[in-house]
Amino acid sequence: MAASATRILFKHPRILSQKSLSTSSNVTATATASTSKLDGSNPAMNFPCVDQNELRTQQIIKDRQLKSQQQLQPNQIHLPNLPTPPPSTDPEGPEPAYANVVSGYQLYRHDKQFPLDYGGHLPSFELAFETWGTLNKDKSNAVLIHTGLSASSHAHSTPANPAEGWWEKFIGPGKSIDTDKFFVICTNVLGGCYGSTGPSSLDPSDGRPYATRFPILSIFDMVRAQFHLLDGLGIDKLYASVGSSMGGMQSIAVAYLEPERVGKVVSISGTARSSPSSIAMRYAQRSVLMADPNWKRGFYYDDLPPHTGMKLARQIATITYRSGPEWEQRFGRRRRDTSTTSLPSPPVLCPDMLIETYLDHQGEQFCLKYDANSLIYISKAMDLFSMSSEELDELAERRKARDAGEVAADALCPIPPTKEDLAKAAKSKPTGGQKPFISSLPSSHHYLPSLRAGLANHKHPTLVMGVQSDTLFPVEQQRELAECLRANGNDKVVYYELSQPWGHDTFLLDVNNVGSAIKGFLEGT
């Protein structure tokens, strides 16, 4: 036994030596790799998932070469139309209809300088929007729909773009948002990549994409841009502001920024304060995206996009959009079996379990459909959103200083943390060896008094909806919002809690419950 062990230890240096010598040329390296596959104790696995990534890179290069031959601008972005997820009637499980929208929208152009909450400005901006229904004579029937992070203005099909919209079944004659009664508007948010000004847009100062020269955005910046559009349309007051997910944040922001210009407010699967858990998930998405070598600190528009990072980021996001109970029913622990014999296929390291193949598909179909920098900037805006009075006061001070001409401090990321950061963290720790009591009850959260104070002027009739299976914006956050509004004396708050298994995406899929609640609220007195 000892002699056998000696022989094994003796072989390792020799193998390492051969491998190091083989790196002298690509041919030798390839030959060595092939030999190792044949000579090893077990055959090397195949990795079609890795091959797919490499094939995608080659296809992007080929597309760019072709477009260069067609004499397109070198900095023009190509976001090809990829297959969309199955429609919501898919018997295997409902999926939202998100598409890459490159046409069919209208453009509002704001030619004046647009200052932003966290410093910086846009010399001008454009906002893509689409409308349905007819604006009545006194322009009192307008409903503004706010989107989630990556959605376009294409909430419903139009003659200019007959493709299915992401809220197709909720909008239309007699539907939840009845276009026989309401004039419906939906925009692609500021910072997006589906027609509105964002990081992929050209900076007027030099004609090159903004990339990460684009300034940090807030949810309030997005809403102010939308109200400039409403001014352009001659709409003084909205009948209602309706939003889901990030759109739910925007809808609450509307009531704060323009309380006299909105009648009713709808916030579905949203929040009045981004929680640490949702911030963490979005940070993880940005981290894998920014770690992609193709990201190049945001300046990738003349080269390969960070499609690998985008795919991984989307897989992380998908985990937060759906729920474990749904996936248990839909996929369980089943594996994809490609065997042609009586024995099932052996496990592999590429997508193998059905849930893995689902996540892989979600990443594949999204990674070239959306701009990576838009994902980074808009997700950061979501992280920064809070209606807590302290943070609203801080933003007000920032705006005041900005308008007075004060120069904002440089945006720096100290890595590793400074001594001051470490000292501050140490002071925040409990003293005397006592551990803080952490309760799972929402009523125990220390920030609630501040959140209630920040929502003090929100007196509008408001519909708040949450989903029990939502892990991205847990239902406790919608309860908090409704209870804070009620505690402030708003007796026009309607709260619904749904038990569907589709997690955060329920607002895109549950026409019967979500749609019926919206319709009843909008059309009620």
Side-chain angles (χ1 to χ4, degrees):
M1 186 68 179
S4 176
T6 303
R7 285 198 298 273
I8 293 173
L9 292 171
F10 178 74
K11 286 184 179 181
H12 281 289
R14 187 175 63 182
I15 293 172
L16 291 173
S17 176
Q18 289 174 346
K19 286 186 177 180
S20 64
L21 291 172
S22 70
T23 58
S24 60
S25 71
N26 290 335
V27 175
T28 307
T30 303
T32 303
S34 300
T35 302
S36 65
K37 286 184 179 181
L38 295 174
D39 294 347
S41 300
N42 299 283
M45 286 190 177
N46 292 319
F47 292 94
C49 51
V50 179
D51 297 340
Q52 177 64 28
N53 190 62
E54 295 167 352
L55 289 171
R56 191 189 314 117
T57 297
Q58 295 170 13
Q59 185 61 48
I60 294 171
I61 294 173
K62 183 178 178 181
D63 288 347
R64 286 184 176 273
Q65 291 173 341
L66 179 62
K67 289 186 176 299
S68 177
Q69 294 170 3
Q70 295 172 346
Q71 298 181 339
L72 290 181
Q73 296 178 11
N75 56 15
Q76 184 170 347
I77 306 159
H78 174 51
L79 297 173
N81 278 303
L82 297 178
T84 56
S88 56
T89 54
D90 179 11
E92 292 300 318
E95 294 295 332
Y98 277 141
N100 174 19
V101 176
V102 295
S103 63
Y105 49 77
Q106 303 176 66
L107 278 178
Y108 163 77
R109 181 169 179 82
H110 187 79
D111 287 318
K112 297 179 181 179
Q113 187 177 102
F114 187 62
L116 302 170
D117 280 345
Y118 290 101
H121 70 280
L122 294 174
S124 61
F125 71 83
E126 292 181 329
L127 213 58
F129 70 100
E130 297 178 50
T131 66
W132 304 266
T134 304
L135 189 62
N136 61 14
K137 188 175 181 180
D138 62 359
K139 299 183 178 182
S140 62
N141 68 332
V143 173
L144 178 60
I145 296 178
H146 307 278
T147 73
L149 189 159
S150 59
S152 69
S153 60
H154 194 62
H156 190 277
S157 55
T158 64
N161 184 355
E164 181 182 357
W166 55 267
W167 239 16
E168 186 80 16
K169 296 178 181 178
F170 291 79
I171 301 169
K175 294 184 179 180
S176 307
I177 304 178
D178 192 344
T179 52
D180 287 336
K181 298 179 180 180
F182 303 115
F183 178 65
V184 184
I185 310 163
C186 185
T187 77
N188 179 224
V189 296
L190 190 67
C193 59
Y194 291 144
S196 294
T197 297
S200 60
S201 303
L202 302 184
D203 185 339
S205 68
D206 62 4
R208 304 292 296 172
Y210 279 104
T212 46
R213 299 179 299 172
F214 198 78
I216 294 291
L217 291 172
S218 73
I219 296 293
F220 300 107
D221 291 328
M222 298 175 185
V223 169
R224 275 191 290 270
Q226 291 171 328
F227 271 87
H228 281 300
L229 164 63
L230 295 178
D231 292 339
L233 296 174
I235 298 172
D236 293 328
K237 183 176 181 178
L238 291 169
Y239 179 84
S241 172
V242 179
S244 305
S245 188
M246 183 184 78
M249 299 176 175
Q250 292 175 274
S251 202
I252 297 299
V254 165
Y256 173 76
L257 288 177
E258 299 286 355
E260 302 301 321
R261 296 189 65 181
V262 61
K264 297 184 175 184
V265 173
V266 177
S267 181
I268 307 166
S269 294
T271 183
R273 174 186 176 274
S274 278
S275 67
S277 60
S278 66
I279 292 171
M281 294 304 295
R282 287 187 290 269
Y283 171 73
Q285 294 172 52
R286 292 194 297 272
S287 295
V288 296
L289 204 169
M290 294 163 71
D292 187 323
N294 290 335
W295 183 62
K296 299 179 179 177
R297 289 170 169 75
F299 292 88
Y300 53 80
Y301 293 107
D302 291 331
D303 208 337
L304 289 169
H307 57 92
T308 302
M310 279 292 279
K311 178 176 178 178
L312 296 175
R314 188 61 172 185
Q315 290 177 350
I316 295 171
T318 301
I319 295 170
T320 71
Y321 294 158
R322 308 305 277 252
S323 79
E326 179 205 3
W327 286 347
E328 185 65 51
Q329 297 173 32
R330 191 170 172 183
F331 306 118
R333 290 180 45 80
R334 297 194 303 278
R335 293 177 47 238
R336 179 170 57 180
D337 187 6
T338 59
S339 174
T340 58
T341 69
S342 58
L343 288 176
S345 302
V348 294
L349 297 180
C350 275
D352 182 31
M353 298 282 196
L354 292 187
I355 182 58
E356 295 174 334
T357 66
Y358 174 76
L359 291 178
D360 185 69
H361 166 74
Q362 294 297 319
E364 276 295 329
Q365 63 89 30
F366 183 80
C367 65
L368 294 177
K369 188 187 291 186
Y370 196 74
D371 180 54
N373 282 335
S374 283
L375 177 64
I376 289 171
Y377 274 85
I378 296 175
S379 68
K380 185 63 178 182
M382 295 176 70
D383 291 354
L384 294 168
F385 181 70
S386 173
M387 290 298 298
S388 297
S389 59
E390 289 92 344
E391 296 187 65
L392 292 175
D393 291 344
E394 179 191 317
L395 270 185
E397 288 298 316
R398 285 181 179 275
R399 294 178 191 127
K400 183 179 178 180
R402 176 200 67 197
D403 295 342
E406 294 185 26
V407 179
D410 292 335
L412 300 175
C413 299
I415 300 175
T418 63
K419 292 181 179 179
E420 291 78 10
D421 292 334
L422 294 174
K424 185 177 180 181
K427 289 180 180 179
S428 67
K429 293 179 180 178
T431 58
Q434 295 180 350
K435 294 183 178 180
F437 174 73
I438 299 176
S439 172
S440 62
L441 298 175
S443 59
S444 70
H445 292 331
H446 64 88
Y447 57 79
L448 284 179
S450 177
L451 187 61
R452 175 181 170 181
L455 294 165
N457 295 325
H458 186 122
K459 303 300 183 182
H460 308 76
T462 302
L463 170 64
V464 181
M465 298 184 68
V467 181
Q468 293 172 357
S469 59
D470 191 341
T471 57
L472 181 59
F473 292 111
V475 72
E476 288 81 8
Q477 295 178 10
Q478 292 88 55
R479 292 176 191 163
E480 287 175 354
L481 172 58
E483 289 305 314
C484 282
L485 294 176
R486 287 170 176 164
N488 286 331
N490 188 339
D491 59 357
K492 300 174 183 177
V493 178
V494 179
Y495 176 71
Y496 290 114
E497 193 168 297
L498 305 179
S499 59
Q500 275 66 15
W502 302 311
H504 187 66
D505 272 358
T506 297
F507 76 87
L508 293 164
L509 306 170
D510 189 358
V511 180
N512 289 337
N513 292 289
V514 175
S516 297
I518 295 172
K519 186 175 181 65
F521 179 76
L522 292 182
E523 298 180 11
T525 55

